Amino acid sequence: MSTAAATHEHHGPATGIKRWLFTTNHKDIGTLYLLFSLLMFLTGGAMAMVIRAELFQPGLQLVDPHFFNQMTTVHGLIMVFGAVMPAFTGLANWMIPMMIGAPDMALPRMNNWSFWILPFAFAILLMSLFMDGGGPAFGWTFYAPLSTTYSNDNTALFVFAIHIMGISSIMGAINVIVTIVNLRAPGMKWMKLPLFVWTWLITAFLLIAVMPVLAGAVTMVLTDKYFGTDFFNAAGGGDPVMFQHIFWFFGHPEVYIMILPAFGIISTIVPTFSRKKLFGYSSMVYATASIALLSFVVWAHHMFTTGMPLAGELFFMYSTMLISVPTGVKVFNWVATMWRGSISFEAPMMFAIAFIVLFTLGGFSGLMLAITPVDFQYHDTYFVVAHFHYVLVTGAVFSIMAAAYYWLPKWTGHMYNTRLAKWHFWMSLISVNVLFFPMHFVGLAGMPRRIPDYALQFADFNAIISIGGFAFGLSQLLFVAVVFKCIKAGEKAPAKVWDGAEGLEWQVASPAPYHTFETPPEVK
Amino acid sequence: MNHMPLLRKLLLGTLAMFAFAFALVPLYDVFCDVTGLNGKPSMEQARQSERVDNSREVTVSFTTHAQSGAPFKVSAQQQSVVVKPGEMSLVTFAAANTSDQARVMQAIPSVSPGLAAKYLHKLACFCFDQQTLQANEQQEYQLRFYVDPALPPEYEELTLSYTLFDISAKHSESLVAAAR
């Protein structure tokens, strides 16, 4: 083999489907992750539409309760593991090497694997919906004995899908850590790292710590259901409450996995459009690390009603409330960054500001839920649904939208239609609040979650919620339009798209060349 | 740059956390044993008490509950007994298999209030073993127990509850053998 031919091959991407199947390029893989996440966002969103259509009126109209349960379960699984997490991994793939001045991710072949097993995981999960008996219907939290004694025979498919998703996330996380630790450009010291890189590094450690625990939990469900073990079966000496302890030991850090990269994105965008340096950089780093550490000692706040001794309830109540301290540090830092800044309201900034306000609102309802005595009233009601949709939709998803609008010109080389993007923003902002805000009230009034029917007094509010839901769903089609129009054509974007932006990614041309920083940049 | 050392550490960490998920199972039991949380009484035969506390009395009530349609009826012949801590008591339970097939029953005890669970000691209990009941068979079981004299004085009433599970599915072969 001639060396000339070998080097020639590295100049540009292969063509056709092979480019995407065999790619080890971080930008290609980032694109794949992002497009896959968009597809899953629309799939999970379509399921949410089914849920909202059924709940538009009291009584059972469109779907039977078993299918309704499958919709709530698979909507949750797809949005968590298919939409939010792959979107962040895609952003990490695209941006981390460019932000730290590395030529690519550290382990490119593993990178290819970690993406390409994902479509199979979701194909298995989605196909189970069409099988005899249906897909998983026990809620995304798959509490035993719902997932063991009372689940259908297709539960094995759910278990294998979760295993594959977990392996994919773990490989992605390992890649992020090795890249950040080993491939920083000379002079890129730890406390000079962009915050998106910092938050992702900490997220990656959380992933490695808890995704294997989730794998353990689904394995125990598998052996309990099919191989006669009794991990969660009281008759054989097991304990169903232990399932909840193991699940939430994974589950609580998992919710920070879905929000820490969002913090990094907001900390990148707010300074750009305020034309000021980020206020309190090092406090941001320490706050992120403390949130990550605290996330391991709060899990039982999901289980206050399972019958815990007073000392346990007090411990988990106070440790949960403690998390609001580092989170508050972050919110105040963002506000202080905007303070007296010369702010302009481009689409990414609008999403970032909406994030700060609405995520904080979701944080406050989280604080209410943390108060043990009142949690007995809120537990398993729509108040909880309102809480986690504020932190995950107006939190995590809005941050992903903000990131897409921020870096899309860098990825495609084209400026997107800013008018359409602003329409998308305002439509989303209004409809998302029509959708989720009334859920607080029906929840406080006692409407239980995960039930296809409800008492008549909730009818008006549910009709409003459903209208908000359909409007929010339709608004996302605008986002799809903006993205695909921007990929195809648009005004040529300069290397530095936003005049207030800082960071190595703005030193390379737009669109970012296939290979960047093959020789490390100088970091002052 | 050689990525192998770091990669190896991270993979090891992943495997360790997978193992940790399974280690949580015994850790959970140990934690519940030590703290007495969860109301899980011991499933092992206890030894007789060495002393009797004549200064106070504790009421122990019994209740049973068949889990999700298990075809068993078990009830204590006395609804409750008043005992002195350390004093041995004997309670008879009448049990019946209400189905017309042989069934295997497993009773799982639980004590309320949960923190008092570790002070109730059983010397003989039908919950120690799986009980095979032939079709429509009636049986009597003896429960021998005492309350630990170390029981904190704030507990004056205990409830011993049995949940009855039908575990015949796991014993179909032994049932066939027993029926022969």
Side-chain angles (χ1 to χ4, degrees):
Chain A
M1 190 175 79
S2 80
T3 46
T7 44
H8 183 78
E9 273 188 344
H10 283 275
H11 276 298
T15 49
I17 186 76
K18 278 189 178 172
R19 164 177 176 183
W20 302 104
L21 280 178
F22 301 139
T23 183
T24 54
N25 179 286
H26 72 102
K27 300 184 182 81
D28 281 354
I29 293 170
T31 304
L32 286 170
Y33 264 115
L34 287 168
L35 291 177
F36 179 74
S37 134
L38 183 59
L39 180 68
M40 285 296 115
F41 180 63
L42 298 174
T43 312
M47 291 171 184
M49 296 298 102
V50 174
I51 295 167
R52 283 322 319 174
E54 176 57 50
L55 292 175
F56 189 73
Q57 284 185 344
L60 300 173
Q61 289 91 23
L62 298 172
V63 293
D64 72 284
H66 181 58
F67 188 71
F68 182 89
N69 290 346
Q70 293 172 44
M71 286 292 104
T72 53
T73 304
V74 183
H75 163 76
L77 289 168
I78 287 200
M79 288 307 200
V80 168
F81 295 104
V84 173
M85 289 169 70
F88 283 133
T89 315
L91 291 169
N93 264 293
W94 250 105
M95 301 319 299
I96 286 176
M98 293 212 291
M99 285 178 154
I100 63 173
D104 204 311
M105 296 295 277
L107 308 158
R109 290 195 185 131
M110 193 167 86
N111 210 7
N112 176 291
W113 265 99
S114 70
F115 173 77
W116 275 113
I117 59 176
L118 261 192
F120 293 93
F122 286 92
I124 292 172
L125 182 65
L126 288 170
M127 278 192 306
S128 73
L129 288 173
F130 298 99
M131 294 182 65
D132 225 19
F138 30 68
W140 84 275
T141 49
F142 62 103
Y143 277 12
L146 291 178
S147 57
T148 52
T149 315
Y150 301 104
S151 62
N152 60 40
D153 284 341
N154 303 337
T155 305
L157 296 174
F158 156 82
V159 169
F160 293 140
I162 295 285
H163 269 143
I164 301 173
M165 294 169 203
I167 292 168
S168 162
S169 308
I170 290 167
M171 290 201 292
I174 288 177
N175 220 336
V176 166
I177 295 175
V178 178
T179 307
I180 297 173
V181 173
N182 285 352
L183 293 186
R184 279 166 296 133
M188 182 61 85
K189 297 205 175 68
W190 284 110
M191 290 313 268
K192 276 188 179 178
L193 284 182
L195 258 164
F196 180 68
V197 180
W198 255 120
T199 52
W200 237 113
L201 180 67
I202 292 164
T203 304
F205 277 108
L206 284 183
L207 279 166
I208 288 186
V210 301
M211 289 312 281
V213 176
L214 175 69
V218 288
T219 308
M220 290 179 213
V221 165
L222 183 81
T223 58
D224 263 20
K225 181 158 180 61
Y226 298 97
F227 302 110
T229 59
D230 290 312
F231 287 110
F232 308 128
N233 180 10
D239 190 336
V241 176
M242 184 179 72
F243 174 86
Q244 298 185 28
H245 282 288
I246 296 176
F247 178 81
W248 287 113
F249 184 84
F250 146 80
H252 205 76
E254 167 69 17
V255 305
Y256 293 116
I257 287 166
M258 292 191 282
I259 206 64
L260 294 184
F263 291 166
I265 291 164
I266 301 306
S267 306
T268 313
I269 290 173
V270 167
T272 299
F273 297 101
S274 305
R275 289 155 183 89
K276 276 176 69 188
K277 272 210 158 355
L278 180 70
F279 186 89
Y281 171 90
S282 49
S283 69
M284 284 293 207
V285 175
Y286 294 126
T288 311
S290 357
I291 292 172
L293 288 177
L294 283 172
S295 74
F296 287 102
V297 292
V298 298
W299 76 89
H301 67 210
H302 298 267
M303 308 168 49
F304 282 146
T305 59
T306 54
M308 238 192 287
L310 186 64
E313 292 187 328
L314 287 174
F315 172 80
F316 286 109
M317 174 166 93
Y318 289 129
S319 61
T320 305
M321 290 180 163
L322 199 58
I323 293 187
S324 61
V325 176
T327 315
V329 167
K330 292 186 155 290
V331 172
F332 282 118
N333 279 348
W334 292 322
V335 175
T337 308
M338 287 195 281
W339 177 252
R340 292 191 168 164
S342 148
I343 302 180
S344 56
F345 296 94
E346 282 88 347
M349 185 60 166
M350 292 164 98
F351 272 101
I353 293 172
F355 171 97
I356 296 172
V357 175
L358 296 176
F359 173 78
T360 306
L361 210 127
F364 279 135
S365 57
L367 264 179
M368 289 172 70
L369 287 161
I371 305 169
T372 312
V374 295
D375 179 73
F376 278 68
Q377 183 195 342
Y378 305 157
H379 186 84
D380 261 352
T381 67
Y382 262 79
F383 190 80
V384 179
V385 179
H387 158 68
F388 68 70
H389 280 95
Y390 263 91
V391 289
L392 284 176
V393 179
T394 59
V397 173
F398 268 30
S399 82
I400 293 163
M401 305 269 177
Y405 284 135
Y406 188 60
W407 285 306
L408 204 52
K410 175 59 63 189
W411 300 333
T412 62
H414 302 137
M415 194 61 201
Y416 49 83
N417 184 337
T418 50
R419 216 179 126 77
L420 207 55
K422 283 184 184 175
W423 268 98
H424 170 226
F425 170 75
W426 285 110
M427 299 279 292
S428 299
L429 182 73
I430 294 166
S431 58
V432 87
N433 283 294
V434 175
L435 164 58
F436 294 123
F437 206 77
M439 285 186 185
H440 290 111
F441 304 120
V442 289
L444 290 179
M447 179 171 160
R449 63 190 284 209
R450 289 172 171 163
I451 308 281
D453 188 9
Y454 48 83
L456 292 180
Q457 69 265 33
F458 304 128
D460 292 348
F461 267 50
N462 270 286
I464 295 171
I465 292 170
S466 286
I467 291 168
F470 300 140
F472 184 72
L474 288 174
S475 311
Q476 302 324 304
L477 299 179
L478 286 177
F479 179 67
V480 178
V482 174
V483 169
F484 283 96
K485 279 172 68 150
C486 180
I487 291 172
K488 279 197 154 161
E491 194 189 318
K492 178 107 189 66
K496 193 170 175 181
V497 180
W498 315 105
D499 57 0
E502 281 186 45
L504 291 175
E505 76 262 38
W506 307 108
Q507 291 183 7
V508 302
S510 300
Y514 202 57
H515 296 289
T516 42
F517 298 124
E518 282 171 306
T519 46
E522 280 289 321
V523 181
K524 286 170 278 237
Chain B
M1 184 118 197
N2 184 9
H3 300 309
M4 276 316 281
L6 182 56
L7 181 62
R8 211 171 288 137
K9 277 179 211 150
L10 293 171
L11 285 174
L12 211 67
T14 306
L15 289 178
M17 287 312 291
F18 186 67
F20 177 71
F22 288 89
L24 280 172
V25 178
L27 281 175
Y28 179 81
D29 283 341
V30 169
F31 187 80
C32 288
D33 265 2
V34 171
T35 58
L37 298 181
N38 215 13
K40 254 187 175 175
S42 167
M43 289 291 274
E44 271 154 45
Q45 193 181 358
R47 279 209 239 151
Q48 206 162 339
S49 177
E50 279 157 11
R51 64 187 183 92
V52 176
D53 179 358
N54 284 310
S55 66
R56 58 180 171 143
E57 288 181 333
V58 180
T59 308
V60 181
S61 314
F62 308 97
T63 168
T64 63
H65 160 73
Q67 175 73 15
S68 58
F72 304 115
K73 255 199 186 131
V74 178
S75 55
Q77 285 182 339
Q78 298 127 291
Q79 199 193 355
S80 62
V81 291
V82 179
V83 296
K84 296 192 173 79
E87 180 188 59
M88 193 64 63
S89 305
L90 185 71
V91 177
T92 308
F93 283 77
N97 174 359
T98 56
S99 75
D100 40 17
Q101 280 174 328
R103 297 278 178 175
V104 184
M105 179 181 84
Q106 171 72 61
I108 299 289
S110 159
V111 173
S112 175
L115 289 173
K118 62 177 168 180
Y119 299 103
L120 197 141
H121 302 296
K122 296 184 286 298
L123 281 81
C125 176
F126 54 98
C127 62
F128 290 165
D129 299 297
Q130 297 163 351
Q131 306 290 344
T132 305
L133 289 163
Q134 298 304 325
N136 297 311
E137 186 190 348
Q138 307 212 347
Q139 266 271 15
E140 280 196 347
Y141 298 130
Q142 308 280 313
L143 166 70
R144 280 161 62 79
F145 76 97
Y146 69 92
V147 175
D148 200 311
L151 178 76
E154 62 263 32
Y155 299 110
E156 291 172 350
E157 288 180 37
L158 306 180
T159 303
L160 173 57
S161 139
Y162 286 104
T163 308
L164 311 169
F165 290 90
D166 178 2
I167 55 166
S168 315
K170 285 192 180 173
H171 295 271
S172 45
E173 284 157 35
S174 57
L175 275 182
V176 173
R180 247 182 240 144

